[in-house]
Amino acid sequence: MAAYIIRRLLGMIPTLFVITVIVFLLMHAMPGNAFEALVFNPKIKNAAEVYKRLVAENGLNQSLPVQYIHWINNLIHGNLGISSSLNMPVSEAIGTYLPNTLILAITAEIIILVISLPIGLYQANKVNGKLDVSTSFVAIFLYSIPGFVFALVLIFLFSFLEKWLPSSGTVTPGIATSGSLGDRLTHLILPALSLALPSMAYYTRLTRSNTLSVIVADFVRTARAKGLRRPRVMFRHVLRNAIIPIVTQFGFDIGGLFGGAVLIEQIFTWPGMGELSFNATINRDYPLILGTTLLFAVMVLIGNLIADILLAISDPRVRYD
Amino acid sequence: MSEPLLKVSNLKTYFISKYRTVKAVDGVDFEVQKGKVLGIVGESGSGKSMTSLSIMGLIPPPYGKIVEGEIRFEGVDLSKLSEKKMNDVRGNRISMIFQEPMSALNPVLKIGEQIDEVLIRHKRLSKSEARRKSIQLLQSVGFPRAEQIVNEYPHQLSGGMRQRAMIAMAMACEPSILIADEPTTALDVTIQAQVLDLMRDLKEHTGTAIVLITHDLGVVADMADDMIVMYGGQVVESGTADDIFNTPLHPYTNALMESIPVIDEERERLTAIPGTVPSAANFPQGCRFAERCAIAQASCHEKMPELRELQPGHLVRCDLA
Ligand SMILES: Nc1ncnc2c1ncn2[C@@H]1O[C@H](COP(=O)(O)OP(=O)(O)OP(=O)(O)O)[C@@H](O)[C@H]1O
Ligand SMILES: [Mg+2]
């Protein structure tokens, strides 16, 4: 297992290389750079000179291949460069913003699983019953709505009409309980729900359809022929098999959830990776763009690896090698 | 003759939907004697599996239903038993094995776990007691390294081994009846003989009666004490295997006997019965075999023949016999 994981991690390197090259090229294809705005700032007298100096200092006057090799060389030495817009090392910036996104994404994943699995399982057990049909309708409805719409609706309902939950930031500044667990949780609810809702609908459908396809399997009939009681048949025999594609999908979606967080974080001014990469792009902060993109790519690849590991754990027929 | 162990009377199992009624089992009578083997033969679609699943109370929902008849076992009518009481019978007093030993075993549970759970369910054994017993059971069905087999998954075993594991599981609680629905059809010829020998041995040792469903008349001749021949959801002939093989009375039984491949020095002959089984959704009003019958007369197409006792214990559903 360990050898397998190491091999897979090494296998990511070529993919990451290609991704960084593409991002590097696209990034430089965007008009402008981090310092161009200075030229138009009337308060800076010798703007043209300052601009020239900064460009030279940051190596932007060199050819693209040279710049790229420079970046890669630093990366190999564990150095992601200095963010020009934040004036701090990129790694430090990521270190401050990443935990917030992780909290948001993990909370969303928990909400997704805790709510979708039981609903999907229930639906499959009462297939075509009133509750199945109505919840299926709701699920398809929710699935077809993008997450940011939920975000706006949730803010409207719970922050604007009813002032129950805050709609921005991670803590309430300037109150005694600021930063307490409760304070943090209330800030977490709306963004996490917005991120979770579309996937919840999807996972409910996935659980329902997988369960339905397993329920008719021969081995379920065997389990019943053994006289096992219904809950045992459902959980040990049906769910145990139906969950295999679900956990796999779950791993694949980890990276997607990170991407989905970009927009949600903007709406809720949640200081996470989404905010960071968005601002990096607006400010043409090349080192920060590369750093955050690299991280998103790593997340997707790690998600895929987690998917494969979960599959191997949950299905004894799968081998690593 | 002593009281039969199982007595099925006028069993009718239909699949009733808005659009049609499929008469899978249409008025079947037979008895299983203590410690004896009853062979059930008939072409595909004649209702053999549905008859056995009716006994087990495992007719596929939602359309399948026992609409009439009695399944008397140990003084109670199984067809009227609650699900809860029926669960105490299944896998305990009556157990069943199926045609496909691959799909009939749960792919994600170890062989040992799948046998243990029957013992824990019906015999209230602890986990470790159940495991010890499972190993014994596997040894008794001919696994020399049973201690290892309990920790293996179904995909690690060959077809014959899986079917033997299924038999061990079915025999775990020493049932008084084992229903085997084409237990050897999916296996190689040499393995078939081994599995049948095993079933015969177990029967001798435990006194378990066997209901053996098969396409293969040779197997019935070899194993069965009594037999019934089914056609179109009905019993067309029943009696002791000896009587039926010596003096087949129904034209269908005759045709089946002729269709056994006879291999002699020079030629290999296989006379398939011309024509096809009538659809269970739309039976003719007269004799169901009339259309394919070599000796049918006009009256056969009009009136359904009754099952008549022509010789003591030898019944036939044909007016011309
Ligand atoms: N779920 C179902 N819905 C409707 N009809 C069904 C269903 N299952 C079986 N039948 C019908 O019931 C009839 C009897 O089927 P059954 O499986 O008992 O036949 P069989 O004798 O076991 O055949 P085989 O030798 O192929 O196993 C067939 O006509 C079949 O089409
Ligand atoms: Mg069958």
Side-chain angles (χ1 to χ4, degrees), chain A residues 262-275:
Chain A
V262 173
L263 211 57
I264 298 295
E265 286 178 2
Q266 282 302 312
I267 295 173
F268 289 96
T269 51
W270 186 266
M273 290 303 294
E275 273 237 324

Side-chain angles (χ1 to χ4, degrees), chain A residues 52-210:
Chain A
K52 234 178 167 171
R53 181 171 53 80
L54 282 171
V55 164
E57 265 177 18
N58 286 278
L60 296 183
N61 51 355
Q62 285 162 327
S63 71
L64 286 188
V66 172
Q67 286 189 42
Y68 182 77
I69 289 168
H70 186 68
W71 181 75
I72 281 284
N73 190 34
N74 280 339
L75 179 66
I76 291 168
H77 294 92
N79 181 1
L80 282 167
I82 307 285
S83 156
S84 52
S85 61
L86 298 174
N87 264 320
M88 56 158 95
V90 168
S91 49
E92 202 176 297
I94 289 178
T96 357
Y97 283 77
L98 180 62
N100 287 331
T101 297
L102 282 177
I103 289 172
L104 186 58
I106 291 173
T107 312
E109 296 247 337
I110 292 173
I111 295 177
I112 292 168
L113 283 193
V114 167
I115 296 185
S116 312
L117 283 184
I119 295 181
L121 204 61
Y122 177 86
Q123 290 177 331
N125 270 289
K126 305 269 158 158
V127 69
N128 294 331
K130 279 201 189 80
L131 235 110
D132 171 36
V133 173
S134 53
T135 49
S136 291
F137 176 79
V138 173
I140 292 168
F141 179 72
L142 294 182
Y143 183 50
S144 51
I145 296 175
F148 71 87
V149 176
F150 285 122
L152 298 178
V153 172
L154 288 177
I155 290 176
F156 182 71
L157 290 179
F158 299 110
S159 304
F160 184 74
L161 286 187
E162 303 285 346
K163 302 210 166 9
W164 288 344
L165 294 166
S167 65
S168 75
T170 57
V171 293
T172 321
I175 57 164
T177 55
S178 174
S180 69
L181 185 65
D183 185 37
R184 283 178 187 280
L185 278 179
T186 50
H187 281 81
L188 187 56
I189 293 176
L190 290 186
L193 262 183
S194 310
L195 195 55
L197 270 168
S199 301
M200 258 162 64
Y202 175 71
Y203 278 92
T204 306
R205 299 302 291 167
L206 193 65
T207 311
R208 178 183 183 272
S209 62
N210 281 329

Side-chain angles (χ1 to χ4, degrees), chain B residues 43-50 52-53 99 181-182 213 215:
Chain B
E43 275 168 294
S44 199
S46 54
K48 306 181 297 291
S49 295
M50 288 307 141
S52 50
L53 290 175
Q99 176 172 347
D181 189 354
E182 304 193 28
I213 296 170
H215 284 145

Side-chain angles (χ1 to χ4, degrees), chain A residues 217-230 232 236-238 240-241 244 314-319, chain B residues 53 56 58 83 87 90-91 98 100 103-109 113-114 117-118 121-122 124 153 155 166 169:
Chain A
D218 280 0
F219 63 79
V220 176
R221 187 180 58 188
T222 306
R224 299 198 54 214
K226 292 199 278 192
L228 301 180
R229 296 193 180 92
R230 196 166 174 81
R232 186 162 178 101
R236 190 153 172 86
H237 291 270
V238 177
R240 179 67 184 75
N241 277 275
I244 295 172
S314 60
D315 190 342
R317 288 162 293 186
V318 175
R319 303 254 180 92
Chain B
L53 290 175
M56 296 296 288
L58 293 177
E83 183 67 13
N87 262 340
R90 285 198 277 257
F98 302 93
E100 281 293 337
S103 55
L105 286 165
N106 191 329
V108 302
L109 297 180
E113 294 173 310
Q114 301 194 46
E117 64 181 355
V118 195
R121 164 72 178 84
H122 295 294
R124 307 238 146 39
Y153 290 97
H155 72 270
M166 276 296 292
M169 201 158 83

